[in-house]
Amino acid sequence: MPRVTVLVTCYNHLRFLPEALGSVFAQTYSDYELLAVDDGSTDGTREYLERQGETLRTMFNPTNLGTYGSLNAGIAAAKGDWIAILNDDDVWAPTKLERQIALADSHPEYALIHTSGHFIDDEGERLEGAPLGFPFPNLPSGPHLEPLVQRNQVIVSSVLVRKSAILEAGGFDPSFFGYGDWHLWLRLARQHPFGFVNESLTLYRVHDGQASRDNRKMEEESLKIRDWITGWETEEIDRDSYAAFAWNWRCIGASREMFGDMAGARAAYARSFRTNPTPQAIARWAGTFFARPRYGRTS
């Protein structure tokens, strides 16, 4: 049995798929199986995968399950103890799996190991800075809950995650559009420390077809997750920083502002101040009397 299942999620990115698969075949670590899950692509992806023969296993969803439903289907079929996820538009450096498995062997307490990396454009050229509004995450090994409460800081194509830990956490929530990975990382981080390989081993492609480009949907999901966090913050706040949960309440306030719920925003900013008194919370509370919503109210 392979130790690692490389799970490639595919949906209408045929122009990038050969490079993604090529980066798997170029890995210096060889104890893996390659499983590609196509979620109803219409651009020739299925036909391309079928032509690869025995170099990979393939699954074809009869109906469109979405990103996280496809991941769950792949995880259920995976033979490896570890799952390495690769989106079909991203790329790995050749030593990615080798470095991650070495860290897993030396630190069996880690349920998830991710890597540093950089952004690339359509042509594979490196992009500097924060083209999606955030820099490539670099969190040192150890407890990850506090920084993950602040924001998603684990790139999905960078992870090597223990299959048993995913199953114990209940897998990905398929109802999410773009933040289902963040939701799972938070659940894992409540129970386990994460490892980090501080090498640029994951290349995250930025292009117009990404789900993360739908700003309204992403904001709605961010608010959903942040509201969920408030349901268990009192269980964690003694051992984690008050600042992280106060930040969460400020983010809830900002989202409610965007959707025109100014009373709800003021309540969130007030809760942030009570959790960890800061001038930022007071300033944001006062600003709601002059703010204009970016979106209409949520349903």
Side-chain angles (χ1 to χ4, degrees):
M1 300 291 284
R3 189 169 184 199
V4 176
T5 294
V6 175
L7 179 55
V8 180
T9 56
C10 304
Y11 184 68
N12 285 342
H13 288 148
L14 179 59
R15 60 178 174 149
F16 303 128
L17 182 56
E19 186 177 6
L21 294 181
S23 74
V24 178
F25 296 137
Q27 290 297 299
T28 56
Y29 181 83
S30 61
D31 189 11
Y32 69 83
E33 65 162 345
L34 178 52
L35 174 60
V37 181
D38 179 64
D39 197 32
S41 295
T42 57
D43 66 345
T45 290
R46 175 169 184 159
E47 292 76 12
Y48 177 83
L49 291 172
E50 288 175 334
R51 291 196 298 271
Q52 305 312 303
E54 296 182 357
T55 61
L56 50 78
R57 283 201 295 146
T58 55
M59 295 177 61
F60 302 105
N61 297 332
T63 58
N64 187 269
L65 299 178
T67 298
Y68 302 110
S70 291
L71 282 167
N72 284 339
I75 290 163
K79 298 177 181 178
D81 293 329
W82 289 89
I83 307 293
I85 300 171
L86 177 62
N87 290 334
D88 59 352
D89 49 352
D90 295 334
V91 181
W92 288 344
T95 58
K96 177 184 180 287
L97 292 180
E98 178 185 345
R99 297 286 193 267
Q100 288 178 298
I101 285 293
L103 186 58
D105 287 341
S106 62
H107 288 276
E109 72 273 19
Y110 294 155
L112 181 151
I113 297 169
H114 61 120
T115 81
S116 186
H118 58 267
F119 300 101
I120 57 174
D121 64 13
D122 282 28
E123 305 303 319
E125 297 298 321
R126 182 166 181 157
L127 296 171
E128 302 297 341
L132 292 175
F134 57 88
F136 203 99
N138 288 278
L139 293 177
S141 296
H144 273 44
L145 183 61
E146 181 182 339
L148 281 171
V149 165
Q150 293 181 329
R151 60 186 178 276
N152 189 9
Q153 300 193 57
V154 175
I155 299 292
V156 68
S157 285
S158 77
V159 303
L160 179 73
V161 57
R162 199 181 299 275
K163 180 179 177 179
S164 61
I166 298 175
L167 296 178
E168 288 167 6
F172 290 94
D173 183 338
S175 69
F176 281 99
F177 167 75
Y179 270 145
D181 51 331
W182 183 24
H183 188 245
L184 178 58
W185 309 156
L186 281 161
R187 283 179 280 141
L188 290 174
R190 292 188 70 190
Q191 303 297 325
H192 308 279
F194 291 1
F196 178 66
V197 179
N198 191 15
E199 300 178 43
S200 188
L201 301 175
T202 302
L203 285 62
Y204 183 105
R205 197 180 303 271
V206 178
H207 59 91
D208 290 339
Q210 288 169 305
S212 57
R213 294 289 193 175
D214 192 326
N215 293 331
R216 181 185 180 115
K217 277 190 176 181
M218 297 298 281
E219 194 63 42
E220 288 173 344
E221 291 199 350
S222 175
L223 179 56
K224 177 181 177 180
I225 290 174
R226 292 192 179 285
D227 280 336
W228 166 71
I229 288 171
T230 66
W232 47 265
E233 70 175 56
T234 54
E235 302 172 27
E236 308 289 346
I237 207 164
D238 288 340
R239 69 170 187 251
D240 289 294
S241 170
Y242 282 85
F245 293 99
W247 172 274
N248 189 60
W249 278 108
R250 289 204 301 277
C251 290
I252 289 172
S255 292
R256 289 176 179 173
E257 274 189 57
M258 290 183 187
F259 291 110
D261 180 9
M262 299 305 168
R266 284 191 282 274
Y269 292 137
R271 178 63 179 269
S272 174
F273 185 82
R274 291 196 299 272
T275 303
N276 186 44
T278 64
Q280 292 94 333
I282 294 298
R284 295 302 297 265
W285 181 89
T288 60
F289 292 97
F290 309 99
R292 293 184 178 182
R294 180 180 300 177
Y295 310 115
R297 281 184 172 271
T298 55
S299 58

